[in-house]
Amino acid sequence: MICAFEGDPAAAESPLSKVSGAGLTGYARISSLIALNTGTVTASARSSIDPIRADAERLSHIVLEMQRCFVLHLCKELAPGNVSFPQFFLLTYLDRKEVLTMSAIAQKMGHTTAAASGLVDRLENLGYVMRSIALDDRRKVMVCITPKGSALVRRIREEMVGNLMKILNHLTPDEQKAWLQIYSKIYDYCQSK
């Protein structure tokens, strides 16, 4: 694609200036040309979408809406304790483990050790986790959840279970079983990554 800008000597002679970009300058001209050039491509791409892609697009919409529904409620629950989502996810992970090193936390959260340390600092200030030094290696910082942190995780999980029970009540027993089987497979796939 040839792009011509206002003030460019080639713009006056460009065949593109005769296309619907005439009378437009700079960015507006380029935008209208891009729209012209991609309109048919987008339309033909949509018509040739395979069924798996179409299902994936529909599922992406469903997943985002479900997350929005749960996250809005979760926001209200977490706000009083001033706990962010990453901090809450860390708490849920710590609640399943006895103790973790800072490097293991960083790896699990996909953060640098410094960023993980920031998450832990905030949770420690709120009384949800506790840090200590490893007995075998004083360079290792160990982190464990406190009873207060575990209580928060239990309370939020109970809220989520209640919400899921409401959803499950709208499904037949066979649909409930199928949903659990499908989500279990998805969970196993995510854990392998």
Side-chain angles (χ1 to χ4, degrees), residues 15-86:
L16 294 177
S17 64
K18 294 177 184 164
V19 185
S20 90
L24 298 175
T25 60
Y27 179 76
R29 179 181 293 165
I30 292 169
S31 297
S32 65
L33 291 173
I34 290 170
L36 274 176
N37 289 336
T38 59
T40 54
V41 174
T42 305
S44 65
R46 281 197 195 118
S47 64
S48 64
I49 292 177
D50 64 74
I52 291 178
R53 171 136 184 118
D55 289 346
E57 286 179 2
R58 177 73 178 127
L59 281 170
S60 74
H61 175 73
I62 291 168
V63 167
L64 288 173
E65 279 300 307
M66 287 176 62
Q67 285 179 338
R68 185 190 60 77
C69 177
F70 283 114
V71 166
L72 283 176
H73 190 72
L74 201 54
C75 280
K76 291 175 187 166
E77 288 298 313
L78 293 177
N82 296 316
V83 176
S84 68
F85 288 112

Side-chain angles (χ1 to χ4, degrees), residues 87 90 102 105 113-131 141 143:
Q87 291 165 342
L90 174 55
M102 194 61 74
I105 290 171
T113 305
S117 184
L119 284 176
V120 171
D121 285 345
R122 179 75 177 130
L123 290 171
E124 188 174 37
N125 289 338
L126 292 168
Y128 293 127
V129 300
M130 195 170 62
R131 270 190 250 227
V141 176
V143 180

